[in-house]
Amino acid sequence: MDRSTFSVKHQDEGLFDLYGRKRVLSFILVITLITFVPLGVKNILLGESLLGGLLLAFELSLVVEVIGVFRFKRNIIGYKLPLTLLATSIILSIDIFGTLATYWVFPVVTTIVFMVPKKIALLSNTMIILGSTIAVLPHQEPMVTLRFVLALFFCVSISHVVIEAVRRLQRNLITLSTKDSLTGVYNRHQMDISLQAASQRAKTGEASCIALIDIDYLKKVNDFYGHDVGDRVIKSVAELISSHCRKTDLLFRLGGDEFLLLFDGIWQECALERLQRIKDEVVIEVVKECPQTKGITLSTGLAESLANEESEHWVKRADLALYEAKLAGRDQIKINGSPRCYTDAAVTVS
């Protein structure tokens, strides 16, 4: 697990999350079974075997995709084949039946905007509009075709603009629900998810470590210089810690002046080495950014994951180590020792 796990990249994969896709795909499947299958059979009986075969092939590909989403929670054959079959069948039906078939284009292009990634939707709808225009020209007056093309273009354009606004809103909501508003690091909700996943991996022998980091003497900064300066210190510390971390290290704000840093997939000795380097460099750099806060230090409690341990107990051990660091005079790291490496309850690293 790394920072990309919580990114909003998946919003480019369509408008809906997995649960929403299941519901919408179920509805589309029912509608197409009622319409496309009978139309496919009818066209085969009328001698239009190619068109009928394309419609039935599209329906089969849609069934396969629905099975993939419901059973395997992923795409099986992807978007390209179903969209190609659908676009080809629409253009061919317009070429055969003329204006009567053009009415199917509007719901199809709108559905594509909702269901598939933006770039693929734009490409697919462009091909459908161009193909439909060429196919319908021999069947009606040029001015009628122009009105059809303009109406279709406006329909697709409005759909894309509206859906893009909704996607942008979704991205903002996801950011608000996963990130701390002051520092931009992950919040407690995302921390719970990450720690539970790391605890599960610990059962298979993959170690991880967490560090509870507390900013020392921040209350004095708030009292002497105001909470705005204190907020700048908190934000600077978060940014500096993040800048010194690997991509797989995840930083969460617990609240106030306390953070949790997850070192995913490394043993305690390596985590301690990294944490000491981060602590020293952050303390030096935060003073450069906020000169009036000279004397700010970090107290840290470190704990390695144990097999068959709940994430709450893991955090509790790190919290006990942090408490010892503060009792011992702050500006140090205390380790809640793993039986694998240490016999002492805590180890001091100043």
Side-chain angles (χ1 to χ4, degrees):
M1 183 177 292
D2 57 32
R3 298 173 197 177
S4 63
T5 305
F6 304 124
S7 72
V8 295
K9 182 179 179 181
H10 68 276
Q11 286 301 315
D12 294 331
E13 295 301 314
L15 183 65
F16 304 101
D17 59 10
L18 181 62
Y19 176 72
R21 285 182 65 200
K22 285 182 177 181
R23 295 184 63 184
V24 176
L25 279 174
S26 299
F27 177 74
I28 292 175
L29 181 62
V30 171
I31 295 298
T32 54
L33 284 171
I34 294 173
T35 56
F36 282 34
V37 172
L39 283 173
V41 174
K42 178 182 177 182
N43 278 285
I44 291 174
L45 294 176
L46 290 174
E48 299 293 346
S49 301
L50 178 59
L51 178 57
L54 286 171
L55 289 170
L56 295 177
F58 164 75
E59 191 63 34
L60 178 61
S61 67
L62 182 60
V63 170
V64 171
E65 279 300 285
V66 171
I67 292 173
V69 170
F70 273 82
R71 185 161 184 175
F72 305 108
K73 296 181 174 58
R74 63 179 179 85
N75 295 328
I76 294 180
I77 58 177
Y79 299 105
K80 293 182 180 179
L81 178 59
L83 287 174
T84 300
L85 292 170
L86 181 60
T88 305
S89 61
I90 288 175
I91 295 169
L92 185 58
S93 65
I94 294 174
D95 182 60
I96 295 171
F97 300 108
T99 304
L100 184 63
T102 60
Y103 300 114
W104 288 100
V105 180
F106 292 91
V108 167
V109 295
T110 304
T111 303
I112 289 174
V113 175
F114 274 83
M115 293 303 299
V116 304
K118 180 180 177 181
K119 291 182 180 178
I120 298 178
L122 285 169
L123 179 61
S124 301
N125 284 336
T126 299
M127 297 303 296
I128 289 174
I129 292 174
L130 291 175
S132 300
T133 303
I134 295 170
V136 81
L137 271 173
H139 298 275
Q140 58 189 23
E141 295 294 327
M143 288 304 298
V144 176
T145 302
L146 178 61
R147 287 196 291 269
F148 162 72
V149 173
L150 288 175
L152 189 57
F153 174 78
F154 290 139
C155 176
V156 171
S157 299
I158 292 171
S159 297
H160 276 284
V161 170
V162 171
I163 295 306
E164 185 58 32
V166 174
R167 284 184 175 133
R168 191 178 301 112
L169 177 60
Q170 284 183 326
R171 288 192 290 268
N172 291 338
L173 290 174
I174 289 173
T175 299
L176 289 173
S177 67
T178 59
K179 297 288 187 74
D180 174 65
S181 59
L182 174 63
T183 62
V185 302
Y186 296 110
N187 59 21
R188 292 187 70 111
H189 173 67
Q190 296 302 123
M191 182 191 75
D192 293 338
I193 295 173
S194 299
L195 292 182
Q196 288 171 10
S199 294
Q200 288 297 316
R201 291 192 295 275
K203 296 178 181 179
T204 65
E206 181 181 340
S208 296
C209 295
I210 56 173
L212 281 181
I213 303 171
D214 190 89
I215 305 174
D216 299 324
Y217 310 112
L218 185 66
K219 187 177 184 302
K220 290 184 179 180
V221 173
N222 289 330
D223 292 342
F224 281 98
Y225 301 105
H227 286 273
D228 58 329
V229 177
D231 286 347
R232 280 174 51 202
V233 172
I234 293 173
K235 188 174 181 180
S236 295
V237 168
E239 291 174 350
L240 291 168
I241 293 175
S242 296
S243 69
H244 289 88
C245 289
R246 305 169 303 163
K247 185 180 179 181
T248 53
D249 299 333
L250 299 175
L251 182 65
F252 309 88
R253 186 184 180 198
L254 300 183
D257 57 357
E258 195 167 83
F259 298 89
L260 185 145
L261 180 57
L262 171 61
F263 295 102
D264 202 12
I266 61 174
W267 298 104
Q268 188 165 269
E269 301 95 320
C270 184
L272 177 59
E273 181 183 342
R274 292 177 181 276
L275 189 59
Q276 184 64 56
R277 186 166 59 251
I278 289 172
K279 172 181 172 295
D280 294 341
E281 292 177 356
V282 168
V283 168
I284 293 171
E285 292 177 26
V286 76
V287 174
K288 291 180 181 178
E289 294 190 10
C290 306
Q292 66 269 51
T293 62
K294 187 176 181 180
I296 286 287
T297 56
L298 300 179
S299 294
T300 306
L302 180 66
E304 183 180 276
S305 60
L306 301 176
N308 302 316
E309 180 183 41
E310 296 296 328
S311 59
E312 293 84 357
H313 297 156
W314 186 16
V315 174
K316 182 63 175 178
R317 290 195 294 112
D319 192 41
L320 290 173
L322 173 62
Y323 179 69
E324 288 206 21
K326 287 204 169 278
L327 283 181
R330 297 181 170 87
D331 190 24
Q332 56 191 282
I333 301 170
K334 286 278 188 174
I335 302 173
N336 187 282
S338 166
R340 188 181 63 81
C341 298
Y342 297 93
T343 56
D344 296 336
V347 177
T348 302
V349 180
S350 300

